[in-house]
Amino acid sequence: PRSTLFPYTTLFRSAGFKSVEGIVGGIRGVLEEGLGLKALSNITGQSVHDIVILRKAFEEAGMSADSLQTQLSMLQKSLGGVNELGEPTGKVFERLGLDIEQLKEMNATQQLDAIGKSLAGISNQAEKMNIVRTIFGRGGGEMLAFFANPRVLEEAAKEWGELANVMQKNVPVFAQLNIQIEKIKGKIAETFVGLTEKITAPLMQFLNFVRDKIDGLKLGERIGDMLSAGFEAAKANQLG
């Protein structure tokens, strides 16, 4: 019977709608992620593949993936010979046994891996802190969490390598799709602007008419009379 099945069919329809809504939201999330990865790739000069691995490695080290751009920027500046404070960085790379010119030939993943492995050979924590702050700036101390596990990049590449390959291959398409969706949203917004413009005058006339014709006080009194009559009738039926 309908009375028995109705709650369940409503539930199934609601669940189906939520599932579709979740799928659409998931697809939109992937497209937005693609756009962000493409932008970050353009800014840092790193491949989308490497950015995916680096972001995952940051997250697994307990750091915010959003800090990746800042840390890479600080690193590249230090590889230029001076850090954010204008201090020379050649000596600190020498302390790590690394050659700046060789590091410049590497991608960011290889650079961080080399720095991490060299840091692992230094036992003094204060010295480690000084090194990472010299390379990554005053806020670079958090990089110690990243370098605490010398294999963090290797493990991230093993766990997320397939995803990184897929994103590298498809990010240009994902980014373009997201741009097209935004353009369509803009066109829809323009449609409603045009529609609103056309109905503003007649809508205003109608609202003014309603305002002038309706006596709120009298209307309220009539509704009150009707409710009172209803209450009285209900009371009479109950007593009867």
Side-chain angles (χ1 to χ4, degrees):
R2 183 178 183 281
S3 59
T4 302
L5 296 178
F6 181 69
Y8 298 101
T9 56
T10 302
L11 177 63
F12 293 150
R13 287 173 184 171
S14 176
F17 174 77
K18 290 296 182 182
S19 297
V20 172
E21 187 179 36
I23 291 171
V24 172
I27 293 173
R28 184 63 191 277
V30 170
L31 297 181
E32 291 177 350
E33 178 73 8
L35 189 63
L37 287 171
K38 185 174 184 295
L40 192 53
S41 175
N42 291 338
I43 292 170
T44 63
Q46 305 300 312
S47 69
V48 168
H49 174 278
D50 287 352
I51 288 172
V52 171
I53 298 301
L54 286 168
R55 285 172 63 89
K56 293 299 183 182
F58 269 46
E59 290 174 352
E60 289 177 11
M63 299 169 60
S64 169
D66 293 335
S67 68
L68 175 62
Q69 180 181 335
T70 299
Q71 302 297 354
L72 292 185
S73 176
M74 292 295 184
L75 173 58
Q76 299 313 310
K77 187 172 183 62
S78 292
L79 288 174
V82 293
N83 61 16
E84 65 167 340
L85 298 177
E87 301 168 338
T89 55
K91 293 293 185 181
V92 76
F93 284 110
E94 287 180 12
R95 174 67 183 88
L96 292 171
L98 299 172
D99 182 86
I100 286 182
E101 296 305 317
Q102 290 181 356
L103 287 171
K104 287 180 180 179
E105 298 298 319
M106 302 177 183
N107 60 39
T109 302
Q110 294 167 333
Q111 292 167 349
L112 291 172
D113 186 53
I115 292 170
K117 287 178 177 175
S118 294
L119 275 174
I122 298 175
S123 58
N124 188 294
Q125 191 70 7
E127 185 177 5
K128 284 185 177 182
M129 177 66 74
N130 182 61
I131 289 173
V132 296
R133 283 184 172 173
T134 300
I135 296 174
F136 297 98
R138 287 168 294 185
E142 68 172 357
M143 288 298 290
L144 285 178
F146 179 81
F147 292 124
N149 177 8
R151 298 185 58 194
V152 65
L153 286 167
E154 179 184 341
E155 292 171 357
K158 182 178 180 180
E159 180 73 20
W160 303 102
E162 186 174 349
L163 171 64
N165 289 333
V166 172
M167 295 304 287
Q168 175 70 48
K169 177 182 177 181
N170 293 288
V171 150
V173 178
F174 292 165
Q176 192 59 37
L177 281 173
N178 194 65
I179 291 172
Q180 293 302 321
I181 289 173
E182 291 300 320
K183 287 181 178 179
I184 291 172
K185 287 171 62 177
K187 291 297 183 182
I188 293 174
E190 289 178 358
T191 300
F192 280 102
V193 169
L195 173 63
T196 304
E197 179 187 23
K198 292 298 182 182
I199 68 171
T200 296
L203 179 60
M204 185 61 72
Q205 292 175 359
F206 173 74
L207 293 175
N208 288 336
F209 171 79
V210 172
R211 181 198 63 195
D212 295 338
K213 293 299 182 181
I214 292 180
D215 187 326
L217 181 59
K218 289 184 178 180
L219 179 60
E221 290 176 346
R222 290 179 182 178
I223 294 175
D225 290 340
M226 293 173 60
L227 290 174
S228 295
F231 293 149
E232 291 298 329
K235 180 180 179 181
N237 288 335
Q238 187 176 17
L239 293 175

